[in-house]
Amino acid sequence: MLKQILSKLPRKSSSSSSKGGSSEHGGASNGRTHGGVKSNDLATKSVNSALVSQPHHGNINNNRAQLSIGVNENQNPNGNLNFTSYEALPSFRDVPNSEKQALFINKLKMCSVVFDFADVTKNLKEKEIKRQTLVELVDYVTSADVKFSESVIQQVVRMVSTNIFRTLSPQPRDNKPVDGVELEEEEPSMDPAWPHLQIVYELFLRFVASPELDAKLAKRFIDQSFVLRLLDLFDSEDPREREYLKMTLHRIYGKFMAHRPFLRKAINNIFFNFIFETEKYNGIAEILEILGSIINGFALPLKEEHKLFLVRVLIPLHKPKCLAMYHQQLCYCITQFVEKDCKLADTIIRGLLKYWPITNSSKEVMFLSELEEVLEATQPPEFQRCMMPLFRRITNCLSSPHFQVAERALFLWNNDHVVNLIKPNCKVILPIIFPALEKNARSHWNKAVHSLTLNVQKIFNDLDHDLYKECLQKFEEIELKKDEIKEGREATWRHLEELAGKRPASSEAILNGKTFTRNSAS
């Protein structure tokens, strides 16, 4: 009786069982990821090789009815499509051209399912199927030779949004050292879902860059709300994700001209919040890198909006303590403005002086390096407007006990353009910096600083010997007066000590030979 009942039960086909077995075998290697992306596009070959390196899952036949198998158009509360059976769909090469767009849309819907990567042993087969499907979608978008339809654009944006827009889980943001190491120096947090996220970003990057994408049609779906959510992701801890976001946002800025003013305003808001509120944001360097390219393309004469951006955003970005994280990109943006309009050099130099660090020597070295780059693009008229406050600050740097600060300030005279700016204004500049130079030459503890100081003194001596002698004479007169004042002060203290020594047991206060009797406490 039992055998008769069992014989009537439906049996799984051998093909389906082979699918499941091979999928689980292939899913074990799904943790393989590509390295960080430094070029604008990840080579198609590298994406395809990742697919080839994995075992093929299941026997995909040419039955076109399979295009819609297992797809449920209803969405669950989390926004993910429900699939009654997550099985691989046919390859694009196995269907005629007339059905490729329908297959493309179905594959996009299939990839709108988001898996949990917190558990590496969960859904191995489904994760591998999705990864292979995403690689196929990248190849399809790259080789597309027909304009993308509205339904395709909508589905691509929906799939990308479902995968990448999520709640970021940043590391604790606290500057307090832990076991002697600051948190900023710790390894960044890597997203475990990156094997899928990377290919989704690659797909969207190529989709936006594709000549088959109509920007006027696509801006209905890649709208301001989408762009804002994309900007929010720049706070990701994963540097690989920020690199892709940088390339993607740059493409969007270049292709969607209608979004440009809104994008600039949204970026300004991020910077304002960073400068004046939190001083914490992971993607400042990447956003500045995008802006460097944008500033390079500004038309002349510069609009007032762009000049205000320089004064209100870029210059105050020197204020945060974590300047080192993005200083290289910020410096490039600043120098781009000077090269665009040399009259802005005075504004920029005075801005740097306003935010000049007083007690942070590492930031001071960065400021001096940036100052040299700005001076290289500065013309004599602008230099003359700001040279007095500038060299008063440089004098303080020359006098710094921190040898790197003094050394970096002296390196300015190794720059021919800076020296050519100084020479015609020697009569103004030398009297300002001469005392610092002379003190370094006489008593600075660092040999390198002492040697560089002698070289700078020789430049000024050869340039105007009479002026140099005059400055030296004034310096010695001032030093002599300082010695006299010092001796007088020491004599006063000796006199006070003698007076105090005459009445050691007295309760009377002594001041310059006069006595003042204290009132008794009783």
Side-chain angles (χ1 to χ4, degrees), residues 179-330:
D179 295 332
V181 180
E182 291 187 1
L183 291 175
E184 291 178 352
E185 298 177 358
E186 292 183 351
E187 289 296 323
S189 174
M190 300 299 186
D191 198 313
W194 187 246
H196 286 186
L197 283 174
Q198 181 189 15
I199 311 176
V200 172
Y201 274 116
E202 183 67 29
L203 167 67
F204 189 58
L205 177 62
R206 297 193 184 198
F207 180 73
V208 172
S210 174
E212 306 305 330
L213 178 65
D214 186 351
K216 292 182 179 179
L217 186 62
K219 74 178 181 180
R220 293 177 51 194
F221 307 101
I222 304 176
D223 55 9
Q224 293 183 357
S225 174
F226 181 90
V227 168
L228 278 178
R229 297 182 73 187
L230 203 64
L231 280 169
D232 288 339
L233 291 175
F234 273 93
D235 201 20
S236 169
E237 294 280 347
D238 196 327
R240 302 169 300 182
E241 182 170 17
R242 299 199 302 269
E243 187 71 19
Y244 262 110
L245 285 165
K246 177 190 73 177
M247 295 186 290
T248 303
L249 193 67
H250 193 196
R251 292 286 189 179
I252 290 174
Y253 188 91
K255 193 150 195 169
F256 297 87
M257 295 185 66
H259 289 339
R260 290 183 181 182
F262 175 80
L263 260 172
R264 292 196 296 267
K265 185 176 180 180
I267 289 173
N268 283 0
N269 291 336
I270 290 175
F271 285 144
F272 288 143
N273 187 60
F274 170 72
I275 296 167
F276 302 108
E277 296 289 340
T278 64
E279 288 198 9
K280 292 290 177 182
Y281 196 85
N282 291 312
I284 296 296
E286 286 80 8
I287 296 176
L288 284 171
E289 200 166 335
I290 298 170
L291 286 171
S293 178
I294 293 172
I295 294 167
N296 186 264
F298 281 166
L300 295 176
L302 290 174
K303 295 180 181 178
E304 192 63 26
E305 173 201 347
H306 303 325
K307 294 180 181 179
L308 287 174
F309 171 72
L310 168 67
V311 174
R312 295 179 179 177
V313 178
L314 290 185
I315 292 177
L317 271 172
H318 291 83
K319 174 179 173 284
K321 296 178 182 177
C322 56
L323 174 66
M325 296 173 62
Y326 56 85
H327 181 254
Q328 181 180 355
Q329 293 83 0
L330 176 60

Side-chain angles (χ1 to χ4, degrees), residues 333-401:
C333 292
I334 291 287
T335 52
Q336 285 293 303
F337 268 101
V338 185
E339 291 175 3
K340 286 283 180 182
D341 186 354
C342 61
K343 293 180 180 179
L344 292 172
D346 177 46
T347 302
I348 290 170
I349 291 173
R350 290 182 184 274
L352 289 175
L353 296 177
K354 178 181 178 181
Y355 292 100
W356 200 277
I358 304 300
T359 59
N360 190 329
S361 56
S362 60
K363 277 187 70 174
E364 205 163 3
V365 171
M366 285 188 281
F367 270 59
L368 286 165
S369 299
E370 182 177 353
L371 178 63
E372 182 176 355
E373 292 194 34
V374 173
L375 287 173
E376 282 185 347
T378 303
Q379 299 304 313
E382 285 69 38
F383 177 77
Q384 290 174 356
R385 292 193 191 102
C386 62
M387 63 182 177
M388 291 186 69
L390 171 61
F391 278 90
R392 278 195 286 267
R393 172 54 58 191
I394 291 176
T395 298
N396 292 337
C397 295
L398 293 171
S399 303
S400 174

Side-chain angles (χ1 to χ4, degrees), residues 97-115:
N97 291 335
S98 59
E99 297 185 13
K100 285 185 177 180
Q101 182 170 310
L103 178 60
F104 181 63
I105 291 175
N106 274 328
K107 284 180 181 284
L108 287 168
K109 291 176 180 177
M110 186 177 181
C111 292
S112 295
V113 176
V114 179
F115 295 104

